[in-house]
Amino acid sequence: MNIVRLEDARTLPLWRRPTSLLFVMAMAMPIAFATWSALLNNFVIEVADFDGSDIGWLHTVREIPGFFAIGVIALIMFIREQVLGLVALIMLGAATAVTAEFPQMAGILTVTMLSSIGFHYYETVNQSLQLQWIDKKRAPQTLGWILSAGSGATLVVYLLIVASWDRLGLTYGTVYWLSGGFTAVVATICLLAYPQFEAPHPQVKKMVLRKRYWLYYALQFMSGARRQIFVVFAGFMMVEQFGFAVDDITKLFMVTLLINMFVAPLLGRLVQVFGERRALVFEYVGLCLVFFAYGGIYYFGWGVVLATALYIINHLFFSLALAIKTYFQKIADPQDIAPTAAVAFTINHIAAVFLPALLGYVWLQSPGLVFVMAAGMAIISLLLSLLIPRHPAPGHETVFQGRLLAAAE
């Protein structure tokens, strides 16, 4: 095994450096995951005859591995984080590839569980590696560029689907096999072609729960709860309420990603200049308005143009969530990053385990109420974000510590 210290990686060719690997993984993962997401609502409605309750249960099953992301802590006792992340990415690609081979409820849930294990374990490790490998001073900007790279890869997928779905008479099976197989192959190449990078701070290999990280945990919990409503029901609404076909929903995703490609680096710069507190306040105020407007689509009969605009705007606000990562990077002990990333990912998915199934039943009675509840969650997140200090640091994790320090002086 070729192990290279992080400070020595600068001598490697550009394509073999740690940041380059992060970019490659960021572009490989959405090839499978974005394809799965783009086709999912049409696939389950047209092939498996899902209703709102069924889609809620599907996403509940999908989020169970996220709840158990804390298992990463046990795995990194035996497997290097970099290896674990790439193996999980291979698993995501392989499970995506066979999705259409199991068109019944039980089969879809099983394959979804397997792909979700790959996705969530990859994302847990990936977040940890990003915070370990990227310098704090450049983190917001670099994370913005990584988001942009992922958006670019996803855009290519959407372009191919839109251009070839009807023209070539593609089937769900063909597209899932091609996209999932591509991700698995790229991850395998990365596993073989890159050296193992050694960060300067050995990671604690046990569960870490620290009182001083409480605000970070709370922000993660609310982010997971709120995001689930959008991920599960916003796209489902476009198909169920407005009759979007596969190429329609893919065009919507494509426009969203195209805008994200250009905006994400700017948002990273915004976080770097104005700080995490102001960035998150801006995000949560915007999300409150967006979710209330989503409710208005059902309560006041607002049309498809507004729904499309809200979908795009919602995605742009979600890009600012990178500020939660950089906030934690500033307050964390370096050796806590890997175990805390796993703990935070589990916290992020506590609500995700039960919320989709529960809200699936609410959706059957009142779809608008689901989005009003999401607006309420955004308000709670806004209140939490106001507790972030202007310059977070160890010992200065919230505004309360700042006031205590000022009183002591």
Side-chain angles (χ1 to χ4, degrees):
M1 181 183 295
N2 183 17
I3 298 178
V4 176
R5 293 185 306 172
L6 214 56
E7 56 267 32
D8 296 333
R10 301 171 190 170
T11 62
L12 294 172
L14 181 61
W15 70 271
R16 295 194 76 204
R17 295 178 188 176
T19 305
S20 299
L21 177 57
L22 291 176
F23 273 94
V24 172
M25 292 192 298
M27 291 185 286
M29 186 278 287
I31 302 296
F33 183 71
T35 302
W36 181 84
S37 301
L39 301 184
L40 176 68
N41 288 309
N42 292 88
F43 176 67
V44 297
I45 289 174
E46 295 172 12
V47 178
D49 197 28
F50 274 28
D51 60 19
S53 175
D54 295 328
I55 196 70
W57 277 108
L58 172 63
H59 283 279
T60 287
V61 168
R62 186 177 72 84
E63 297 299 347
I64 290 174
F67 181 73
F68 290 106
I70 199 169
V72 167
I73 298 173
L75 291 174
I76 62 175
M77 295 176 64
F78 309 101
I79 307 173
R80 295 181 63 85
E81 279 189 88
Q82 185 177 332
V83 173
L84 176 58
L86 290 170
V87 169
L89 193 55
I90 293 171
M91 184 174 181
L92 167 63
T96 300
V98 300
T99 296
E101 306 304 316
F102 302 92
Q104 295 79 29
M105 180 72 164
I108 292 173
L109 293 183
T110 301
V111 174
T112 297
M113 173 70 80
L114 293 175
S115 66
S116 181
I117 292 172
F119 172 79
H120 285 99
Y121 276 52
Y122 161 76
E123 277 295 313
T124 302
V125 172
N126 184 49
Q127 289 189 27
S128 171
L129 294 179
Q130 286 176 352
L131 298 183
Q132 291 179 65
W133 291 357
I134 301 173
D135 182 75
K136 289 182 183 180
K137 295 178 181 178
R138 297 185 294 108
Q141 187 78 65
T142 304
L143 289 174
W145 282 110
I146 289 174
L147 280 173
S148 181
S151 297
T154 308
L155 178 63
V156 171
V157 172
Y158 292 163
L159 281 170
L160 290 173
I161 292 175
V162 170
S164 59
W165 182 264
D166 288 328
R167 184 174 301 175
L168 300 181
L170 296 178
T171 64
Y172 292 109
T174 301
V175 177
Y176 277 134
W177 271 107
L178 289 174
S179 60
F182 182 86
T183 295
V185 169
V186 170
T188 302
I189 293 172
C190 288
L191 192 61
L192 300 175
Y194 283 87
Q196 295 295 309
F197 299 111
E198 189 74 64
H201 302 284
Q203 296 298 291
V204 175
K205 295 179 173 61
K206 62 181 181 181
M207 188 172 74
V208 171
L209 275 172
R210 302 198 190 281
K211 288 182 180 179
R212 66 187 189 88
Y213 297 159
W214 74 266
L215 181 55
Y216 172 66
Y217 299 147
L219 288 167
Q220 285 285 2
F221 176 80
M222 293 310 304
S223 174
R226 187 184 61 253
R227 183 181 290 266
Q228 280 309 302
I229 296 180
F230 175 76
V231 169
V232 175
F233 296 108
F236 190 78
M237 176 193 70
M238 303 304 289
V239 177
E240 183 184 65
Q241 179 78 1
F242 299 110
F244 273 39
V246 167
D247 57 341
D248 294 324
I249 200 74
T250 305
K251 287 175 185 175
L252 174 61
F253 289 177
M254 187 173 63
V255 171
T256 302
L257 266 294
L258 182 61
I259 296 173
N260 253 2
M261 282 179 59
F262 296 100
V263 173
L266 298 178
L267 294 178
R269 179 63 178 164
L270 183 148
V271 174
Q272 192 167 346
V273 172
F274 294 101
E276 287 78 11
R277 174 183 171 133
R278 292 176 181 174
L280 289 174
V281 166
F282 177 71
E283 176 191 358
Y284 298 142
V285 169
L287 288 177
C288 289
L289 299 175
V290 166
F291 282 125
F292 277 129
Y294 264 128
I297 290 173
Y298 287 94
Y299 291 123
F300 305 113
W302 295 337
V304 66
V305 174
L306 177 64
T308 301
L310 291 174
Y311 190 93
I312 295 170
I313 294 169
N314 207 333
H315 259 288
L316 295 179
F317 281 126
F318 279 151
S319 296
L320 281 171
L322 65 87
I324 299 178
K325 290 185 185 180
T326 57
Y327 163 66
F328 174 66
Q329 188 184 37
K330 290 179 179 179
I331 67 171
D333 292 330
Q335 65 270 21
D336 287 350
I337 288 176
T340 305
V343 170
F345 222 73
T346 292
I347 291 172
N348 185 277
H349 286 76
I350 290 174
V353 171
F354 67 86
L355 205 58
L358 175 64
L359 293 182
Y361 292 111
V362 176
W363 181 271
L364 295 178
Q365 303 301 318
S366 176
L369 180 59
V370 172
F371 292 116
V372 171
M373 293 171 68
M377 294 175 189
I379 292 172
I380 295 173
S381 297
L382 171 62
L383 296 176
L384 290 171
S385 69
L386 294 173
L387 302 180
I388 297 175
R390 178 65 181 90
H391 300 287
H396 189 38
E397 294 85 8
T398 71
V399 294
F400 299 128
Q401 276 86 2
R403 291 167 186 166
L404 291 173
L405 289 172
E409 292 173 356

